[in-house]
Amino acid sequence: MSELLGEDGVARCSWGNSAPDYAVYHDTEWGVPLRGEVALFERLSLEAFQSGLSWLVILRKREAFRRVFHGFDPERVAAFGEDDVTRLLGDASIVRNRAKILATITNARAIVSLDVPLDELLWSFAPDPEGRLRPATMADVPAVTAESKAMARALKKRGFAFVGPTTCYAMMQATGMVDDHVEGCFRAG
């Protein structure tokens, strides 16, 4: 347990003690059940932007992402055109990656055309927490699960982009669809 203690004396998952921004995110958001179209669109988008980068980069740019993507309102983002893409590629306050920007717009359009609410669709892949083992260490936390693979397939089938099984699992962790707080972490239920 001593390896989980942060400088502030709080026992957290090891990554939660690696930077003050991580500690706040770990303590207040990561693993907390999240619902709602806008909130889930934001998390799905940010997890895609994180791909290949440190989550800390995304956390520190989150307010800028919210600003440039109009609060992650799917209707507004779905209406983005080439001028918006050019504007976003020129904005140093966010991660300027054309594929990820286009995926966010594509995903907004997919959300707008869904036949079920986004949170109903995403949460349908949450595994039953009953009988699920709590990870002993971060090494026991998977990057991909059968549920995240199924979610990625279903989203791609509905026209979503940049939603591989690893991105889907990270989003599942971030939004409380799974609880991967390790044994000894104060957030472990």
Side-chain angles (χ1 to χ4, degrees), residues 100-179:
K100 294 174 182 181
I101 289 168
L102 291 173
T104 302
I105 297 166
T106 295
N107 293 346
R109 292 174 180 158
I111 290 167
V112 169
S113 67
L114 282 175
D115 57 347
V116 296
L118 180 64
D119 56 351
E120 183 180 316
L121 173 63
L122 295 178
W123 276 87
S124 72
F125 295 97
D128 183 355
E130 197 64 37
R132 195 166 185 277
L133 297 176
R134 177 157 310 282
T137 68
M138 290 309 297
D140 298 322
V141 176
V144 172
T145 63
E147 294 87 358
S148 75
K149 289 177 185 177
M151 179 188 282
R153 279 192 305 273
L155 290 175
K156 287 176 183 176
K157 188 175 178 180
R158 287 181 145 100
F160 285 75
F162 232 103
V163 288
T166 303
T167 296
C168 286
Y169 193 67
M171 196 246 349
M172 293 172 83
Q173 292 172 304
T175 61
M177 292 178 197
V178 294
D179 177 1

Side-chain angles (χ1 to χ4, degrees), residues 48-126:
F49 271 101
Q50 183 274 330
S51 182
L53 302 172
S54 162
W55 180 244
L56 196 55
V57 170
I58 303 306
L59 271 180
R60 291 179 175 164
K61 292 179 177 277
R62 182 161 57 171
E63 290 307 317
F65 277 112
R66 287 174 173 162
R67 177 181 44 79
V68 302
F69 285 107
H70 302 296
F72 289 96
D73 177 333
E75 295 275 345
R76 292 184 72 185
V77 177
F80 280 15
E82 193 54 44
D83 288 347
D84 295 294
V85 173
T86 301
R87 170 181 57 82
L88 295 169
L89 286 170
D91 191 331
S93 70
I94 64 165
V95 173
R96 296 176 290 177
N97 178 301
R98 180 182 267 298
K100 294 174 182 181
I101 289 168
L102 291 173
T104 302
I105 297 166
T106 295
N107 293 346
R109 292 174 180 158
I111 290 167
V112 169
S113 67
L114 282 175
D115 57 347
V116 296
L118 180 64
D119 56 351
E120 183 180 316
L121 173 63
L122 295 178
W123 276 87
S124 72
F125 295 97

Side-chain angles (χ1 to χ4, degrees), residues 11-13 26 134-135 179-189:
R12 294 182 182 89
C13 300
H26 171 276
R134 177 157 310 282
D179 177 1
D180 279 341
H181 287 283
V182 299
E183 290 176 10
C185 172
F186 88 97
R187 293 279 320 281

